[in-house]
Amino acid sequence: MQHAFHFNVKRCAQCFACEVACKSVHDLRPNVQEEPGSAGPRFRQVITLESSDAPTPIQYVSMSCMHCGDAACMSVCPANAIHRDAEFGAVLVDRNKCLGCRYCSWACEFGAPQFDRDGLMMKCDMCIDRLREGKQPACVQTCCGGAITLEPVEGAENAVREMAAKRMSAAKRLL
């Protein structure tokens, strides 16, 4: 069954705990040899959306690999190093097969594939080991506002529909 992250921007507290939790659970630390100020690999990243018209950021969005249903990274990999987990639908990388050719990086429109110091691809794995243990991904568990959830794709679509229906219902009551 395909699962997907759902992000509710209205619930985000802009605390960056999701990004920190992800780095911690995957042991993604900046390397001394990396450029000073570098955050190192980031499987989940809080993006700041700004406007030239507004003096402060408009909003923050927590982004990670989308684990796409038709993953472009998977289709272009010449070594078949990228595959889909049958149980959760996570798009995973077998680093033992990765050639480091970077085709996946060029194909992914979300910038999810990143390359470690060894030149091999790495990216969000939806905390697959935690999921198999019955736990939530680190970013979901740590999100204090409940802005990030992991649900079956059908559930995520239904959640969006329910939110829209509630907004419409509230607007009708105001009329």
Side-chain angles (χ1 to χ4, degrees):
M1 177 182 290
Q2 179 69 39
H3 283 68
F5 287 110
H6 181 253
F7 178 71
N8 183 340
V9 71
K10 292 180 180 181
R11 298 195 64 141
C12 181
Q14 296 111 31
C15 65
F16 294 77
C18 56
E19 190 172 328
V20 173
C22 178
K23 286 183 79 70
S24 178
V25 82
H26 289 97
D27 198 27
L28 298 173
R29 307 274 193 279
N31 182 349
V32 177
Q33 296 148 354
E34 290 182 49
E35 190 175 311
S38 169
R42 295 161 86 178
F43 293 172
R44 176 162 292 280
Q45 184 172 351
V46 178
I47 307 292
T48 306
L49 300 178
E50 298 179 357
S51 169
S52 57
D53 300 338
T56 58
I58 296 173
Q59 62 189 12
Y60 297 87
V61 178
S62 182
M63 298 285 296
S64 71
C65 175
M66 300 294 184
H67 300 276
C68 304
D70 186 20
C73 63
M74 195 164 50
S75 65
V76 300
C77 180
N80 293 317
I82 305 169
H83 63 281
R84 183 173 309 282
D85 173 75
E87 186 176 2
F88 296 99
V91 176
L92 305 173
V93 179
D94 182 343
R95 291 174 50 83
N96 292 320
K97 291 182 178 179
C98 179
L99 304 172
C101 67
R102 299 184 184 243
Y103 288 172
C104 56
S105 179
W106 298 327
C108 177
E109 60 189 282
F110 301 106
Q114 297 177 49
F115 294 84
D116 203 1
R117 285 171 237 127
D118 61 6
L120 302 179
M121 199 269 262
M122 56 194 298
K123 65 173 208 54
C124 168
D125 63 2
M126 208 184 274
C127 288
I128 195 71
D129 293 336
R130 292 175 59 88
L131 289 174
R132 290 177 180 149
E133 294 171 2
K135 299 176 184 175
Q136 289 289 324
C139 59
V140 173
Q141 181 179 340
T142 307
C143 182
C144 63
I148 305 170
T149 57
L150 182 72
E151 304 172 27
V153 170
E154 298 81 24
E157 290 170 355
N158 289 337
V160 171
R161 285 188 198 108
E162 286 175 25
M163 282 189 338
K166 286 178 185 176
R167 282 195 306 267
M168 184 176 278
S169 176
K172 284 182 180 179
R173 283 192 297 258
L174 294 175
L175 295 176

